[in-house]
Amino acid sequence: MPATTVPDATTADGALLVLAIVLPVVGILLSFVLGGRCAERIAGVLLPAGLGVACIVFLKVWQGGEPLIYTVGGWQPPLGITLRADGLSVAMMVAMAIVICLIGVFAHANFGSRAASIETRAPLVFWVMLMAISGAMNMIFIGGDLFTLYVALELLTFAAVPLVCLDGRAETLQAALRYLLFALLGSILYLIGTALLYGSYGTLDIVLMSQRVHLEPATLAAATLMTVGLFAKTALFPLHLWLPPAHAGAPAAASAVLSAVVVKGSFFLIVRLWFDVMPGLLSVAASQLIGVLGASAIICGNIVALRQKRLKLLIAYSTVAQIGYLFLMFPLAFSADPLHLQYGDALTGGMLQAISHATAKAAMFMAAGLVYAALGHDQISELGGIARALPMTMFAFGLGGLCLIGLPPTGGFLAKWLLLEATIATGQWWWAIVITAGGLLTSAYIFIVLSRAMGPPSAPLTLHAAVPKYQEVAALGLALLSVMLGLVALGPIDVLQVGRPEAPMVQLR
Amino acid sequence: MSIASVFDIALVSLILAIGASTILVRTAFAAVVMFAVYGLLLSIAWVRLHAVDVALTEAAIGGGMTGLLLLGAAARSRSDDVDRVRVGYPVRLAAGALCALVVAGLAIAVFHPPAAVPTLAPTVMENLPPSGLGNPVAGVLFVFRALDTLLEKVVVLLALLGVWSLAPDRAWGGTPGLQVYAKPDPTLIFLAQLLPPVGIVFGIYMCWVGAKDPGGAFQGGTVLAAMWLLVIVAGLQKAPAISRLWLRVLLVTGPVLFLVIGLAGWVFADAFLAYPAGYAKPLIVAVEGALTLSIAVALGMLAAGPPERAQQQ
């Protein structure tokens, strides 16, 4: 057992972490008072400011090679709460802040409220919830305490669910209700697990707990409950039932934020749990089981996506499949010899998959939203001619698709390449088959959509509405990001390892 | 067997029986009534476990407020034919499996307790005096883990906005309906005139005493919200339109004051959400007071539901 170290003290620039959480909270409170007409302007200032903070934090951690730490209220853990930004945190923070900002640009067309004379419903709700999601995600990334992370999960849930039924149609209400039930279930399971862990170790701080944690029945029970709960929130197969109707029914900007950003929050907590709170406690059998769930998600999600008739549903089922890839990192990271865990490739690949899926999927949902706006429907069989009418939009969709398939030089390529390398390094060839087959299935449905879109229209195409250029640019910007993500291999990819222990400890007592 | 243990066994059996009947009864309305009773019994159990703060919260939020919200939902769904929807076997099976999982997890933890149960309670008591608080729960909520408490209040605001967002567009900015409740009768009106003065004093007392003894913003706020709702339901006062500026200001007063004091701690006490030496207790009482008001308004509006009538110009 390693020597118990003194809890971390606030580092220089640690105060930036407080800003990352406080800025969105200020935005929420201000919007409540000033009303929906000002909400967009408030978000327009605070979301870019949040991106700025995230970038500065990223640079500090990357260049310093040390995590940033802030002790809230001056109370050290176990009594107080610590905010901690390590490599994983800052990479996700920056990526999600960029995606959220571009979604904000895109959403101006649908939720712009500057010209309105009185407050209207959808703009107020959308902008407040978007700021809440950005704050909640930051908190999930830098929270150093299991209960603080629970509060962040709650913030995320209550911000995400209303977005599903923002347009108020009956079927979206039903989808939102189903999402709410799954999400609350996840929250309560996470909370029970947290209570059990506190009862066993007398702390909620992640670092302190990782020094004390050992294999015992209560710990395993807690970990199982928390993991299952977070699976439900992340929509891992077979707990994905809520996702397709919720993500496909929401307005395009909301779908983008739900699919690209929100599911990554609970996924990140699963990573925190098994890599940081209880490193080395995940048994090989359990990690293989998680891998099987991920593989089933990839295969089933892709096959169901192939059979969809509506574009938005296709993209939603593709999210179910892409989430599967995220969970392949568990069997690859926790392979046979627990004393020599090969974290590097699997963890980097998994996080990169999360980030590149975020950018690509946001771009694709935006593109689908624009297609819907232009045609008045999103039937895949009647997309003919749309590529000629909206070339930039379909280009964005195609680039996002390339990233999902995993063609070089996209981020998806690099992520899947790292995962494949890990399968070879650990001798688990069976996951390589799943990764490759998933890529093939993905390319099938992307090409179906693209070939329909590039084909001739069955009847002369009449566009319902003109699509604003900046919306197309926002979608294309995200798609280009997902393509260029592959280039991070040449640059800041090593930031992910900042603050990671050299070799994870296993304590079998 | 002592009287206390006879009482405990009876209480536990009753809780189990009420819990079972919550599932077994046929109508949603009966299930909600059972659920509220369940919450009250559970709060007695918390008192027996010497967790008075938890007991108060369970009675106020678990049984009372949640019961009221569910009652509203049951009444709303009665007008539609939701009662006729039958839950299929796969769903029942899934729910049963989930419950079995949770029970198994809890059973494992209960039957394998650690040799020495670690606790932070002595550390909390050691570090409590500088804050001037007497109630360790208030200490945890407002001194050691103030960040969580602050953000939970934001969660309540988001929940309220989520409920409001269910309104039809034309009713936005208007008044909540509250039509789901019974028509006011003389008894209800009499109660609505008699109880609020007592309830308001009691709610304020609960908030005030929270610094020293069990009580606090959430419990006090719930009592105030209950009094407000009673007056609205009895028809003595209308629910306010959600676009009213005073309503919005009241809703954010608590979190804003909390945040401002937290940020001031950066300047005057060297850390976000730290209190300057000697000023901790007055500041915390001020925050609790403002939060009580905000929570009362938020809970009252949550129970009142989404706006249904456009605001009269």
Side-chain angles (χ1 to χ4, degrees):
Chain A
M1 189 175 168
T4 307
T5 49
V6 182
D8 311 306
T10 297
T11 57
D13 306 315
L16 287 168
L17 304 182
V18 175
L19 271 190
I21 295 175
V22 165
L23 281 181
V25 171
V26 168
I28 296 167
L29 297 175
L30 269 182
S31 304
F32 248 86
V33 179
L34 298 181
R37 287 163 59 208
C38 301
E40 190 191 7
R41 255 167 290 180
I42 294 167
V45 173
L46 291 180
L47 291 178
L51 173 60
V53 171
C55 288
I56 298 173
V57 172
F58 181 91
L59 286 177
K60 299 267 180 207
V61 170
W62 185 31
Q63 286 168 352
E66 288 286 323
L68 290 191
I69 293 162
Y70 191 83
T71 314
V72 181
W75 293 100
Q76 300 280 349
L79 216 48
I81 297 169
T82 296
L83 303 175
R84 216 176 268 119
D86 60 4
L88 297 185
S89 325
V90 294
M92 292 297 279
M93 250 171 98
V94 169
M96 295 303 149
I98 293 174
V99 173
I100 288 177
C101 280
L102 283 173
I103 290 174
V105 171
F106 179 87
H108 169 69
N110 308 96
F111 301 106
S113 54
R114 285 170 201 175
S117 60
I118 54 161
E119 177 182 293
T120 44
R121 185 182 63 95
L124 176 69
V125 176
F126 179 82
W127 294 110
V128 168
M129 297 310 181
L130 192 64
M131 285 186 276
I133 286 173
S134 100
M137 294 300 287
N138 282 344
M139 218 167 127
I140 284 176
F141 298 144
I142 62 180
D145 178 287
L146 288 177
F147 187 77
T148 306
L149 292 176
Y150 167 76
V151 178
L153 264 182
E154 286 300 84
L155 264 177
L156 192 62
T157 302
F158 283 97
V161 173
L163 288 183
V164 171
C165 53
L166 210 49
D167 64 4
R169 283 177 294 127
E171 68 262 29
T172 64
L173 280 173
Q174 205 170 10
L177 194 58
R178 194 193 280 193
Y179 177 25
L180 182 68
L181 289 177
F182 270 88
L184 287 184
L185 200 82
S187 296
I188 207 74
L189 290 180
Y190 178 89
L191 187 60
I192 295 175
T194 306
L196 288 178
L197 286 180
Y198 174 75
S200 297
Y201 301 109
T203 183
L204 291 164
D205 183 71
I206 289 178
V207 171
L208 288 181
M209 189 168 294
S210 69
Q211 292 163 357
R212 299 176 190 176
V213 79
H214 51 267
L215 207 57
E216 61 166 10
T219 309
L220 280 185
T224 310
L225 290 171
M226 292 166 93
T227 309
V228 172
L230 292 169
F231 281 172
K233 277 183 179 281
T234 316
L236 177 63
F237 181 90
L239 297 171
H240 66 287
L241 294 172
W242 60 266
L243 187 143
H247 286 193
S255 302
V257 74
L258 291 170
S259 226
V261 178
V262 173
V263 287
K264 305 302 185 309
S266 42
F267 163 72
F268 190 84
L269 286 189
I270 302 175
V271 175
R272 268 274 183 264
L273 193 62
W274 290 111
F275 284 81
D276 289 318
V277 180
M278 33 188 83
L281 277 200
L282 189 63
S283 68
V284 173
S287 72
Q288 291 288 322
L289 178 66
I290 296 179
V292 167
L293 293 179
S296 316
I298 294 173
I299 301 299
C300 297
N302 275 332
I303 288 176
V304 181
L306 260 178
R307 298 163 51 87
Q308 292 308 309
K309 298 203 160 45
R310 283 186 43 214
L311 186 56
K312 283 191 84 177
L313 269 171
L314 179 146
I315 303 175
Y317 274 104
S318 141
T319 296
V320 172
Q322 294 288 322
I323 286 169
Y325 283 103
L326 299 175
F327 289 92
L328 290 187
M329 74 189 235
F330 289 90
L332 296 175
F334 298 92
S335 59
D337 189 356
L339 285 173
H340 298 94
L341 292 189
Q342 295 297 314
Y343 271 6
D345 279 357
L347 184 61
T348 309
M351 298 317 283
L352 205 57
Q353 164 70 12
I355 293 171
S356 57
H357 175 252
T359 47
K361 195 45 71 76
M364 290 169 83
F365 262 122
M366 288 178 182
L370 294 178
V371 168
Y372 193 102
L375 291 180
H377 70 81
D378 64 345
Q379 297 292 329
I380 295 169
S381 57
E382 286 162 45
L383 286 181
I386 191 70
R388 190 163 295 226
L390 300 175
M392 208 201 289
T393 299
M394 286 320 290
F395 185 50
F397 183 90
L399 288 182
L402 293 189
C403 180
L404 293 194
I405 298 167
L407 293 182
T410 61
F413 162 73
L414 186 58
K416 277 150 204 168
W417 177 259
L418 289 168
L419 289 175
L420 280 172
E421 247 182 21
T423 62
I424 296 162
T426 58
Q428 303 183 63
W429 49 268
W430 48 94
W431 303 124
I433 298 177
V434 178
I435 293 174
T436 327
L440 279 178
L441 287 169
T442 311
S443 56
Y445 61 72
I446 297 294
F447 285 129
I448 287 177
V449 173
L450 286 180
S451 63
R452 292 276 184 206
M454 289 180 187
S458 51
L461 203 60
T462 48
L463 295 191
H464 276 239
V467 169
K469 208 39 140 207
Y470 66 86
Q471 282 196 298
E472 291 196 283
V473 170
L476 187 62
L478 276 169
L480 286 174
L481 270 179
S482 76
V483 171
M484 290 189 304
L485 260 174
L487 303 180
V488 296
L490 310 172
I493 198 162
D494 52 329
V495 77
L496 285 172
Q497 301 298 329
V498 172
R500 303 226 63 74
E502 288 296 314
M505 258 45 91
V506 187
Q507 296 150 39
L508 299 164
R509 291 205 295 226
Chain B
M1 210 192 295
S2 68
I3 293 182
S5 49
V6 172
F7 178 81
D8 287 348
I9 291 170
L11 182 62
V12 168
S13 326
L14 197 58
I15 289 175
L16 286 177
I18 296 283
S21 55
T22 309
I23 305 169
L24 294 175
V25 289
R26 290 192 166 266
T27 63
F29 181 75
V32 172
V33 172
M34 286 296 175
F35 175 82
V37 176
Y38 177 81
L40 288 178
L41 289 173
L42 216 53
S43 66
I44 300 177
W46 285 117
V47 173
R48 294 289 305 145
L49 292 167
H50 303 288
V52 183
D53 278 281
V54 185
L56 282 174
T57 314
E58 175 63 41
I61 304 291
M65 199 62 212
T66 317
L68 188 61
L69 288 175
L70 289 175
L71 210 59
R76 269 167 209 271
S77 58
R78 197 156 39 167
S79 55
D80 312 326
D81 38 13
V82 179
D83 260 1
R84 268 182 254 154
V85 177
R86 300 206 45 98
V87 179
Y89 276 102
V91 175
R92 288 175 190 226
L93 210 64
L98 184 78
C99 293
L101 176 76
V102 173
V103 169
L106 291 178
I108 288 171
V110 169
F111 289 123
H112 298 85
V117 179
T119 171
L120 287 176
T123 328
V124 169
M125 293 315 284
E126 265 168 46
N127 288 287
L128 202 54
S131 69
L133 298 175
N135 180 4
V137 176
V140 171
L141 288 179
F142 288 96
V143 181
F144 309 128
R145 308 189 60 96
L147 181 64
D148 292 349
T149 312
L150 169 62
L151 291 164
E152 272 162 17
K153 302 306 174 276
V154 179
V155 174
V156 174
L157 284 184
L158 291 187
L160 179 61
L161 187 60
V163 168
W164 283 355
S165 79
L166 298 174
D169 274 325
R170 64 187 147 68
W172 184 259
T175 49
L178 261 184
Q179 65 196 19
V180 292
Y181 299 104
K183 288 252 180 319
D185 60 54
T187 326
L188 188 62
I189 293 172
F190 177 66
L191 276 178
Q193 287 164 332
L194 184 73
L195 280 181
V198 184
I200 290 169
V201 172
F202 185 60
I204 294 172
Y205 171 76
M206 272 177 108
C207 159
W208 168 252
V209 84
K212 194 153 81 11
D213 287 309
F218 236 106
Q219 296 91 329
T222 315
V223 175
L224 292 185
M227 293 306 121
W228 192 32
L229 282 170
L230 187 60
V231 173
I232 293 176
V233 171
L236 299 180
Q237 260 246 312
K238 273 195 185 144
I242 65 159
S243 55
R244 291 254 179 262
L245 185 63
W246 64 262
L247 179 76
R248 301 278 180 95
V249 169
L250 277 183
L251 281 172
V252 301
T253 299
V256 165
L257 187 65
F258 204 165
L259 188 62
V260 166
I261 288 178
L263 290 173
W266 228 334
V267 182
F268 298 108
D270 295 331
F272 176 60
L273 285 170
Y275 305 100
Y279 292 93
K281 190 171 177 186
L283 288 177
I284 290 171
V285 170
V287 169
E288 280 222 62
L291 281 179
T292 306
L293 211 59
S294 292
I295 290 170
V297 176
L299 292 181
M301 292 308 284
L302 267 175
E308 286 178 4
R309 289 186 299 267
Q311 196 184 354
Q312 270 95 45
Q313 296 299 322

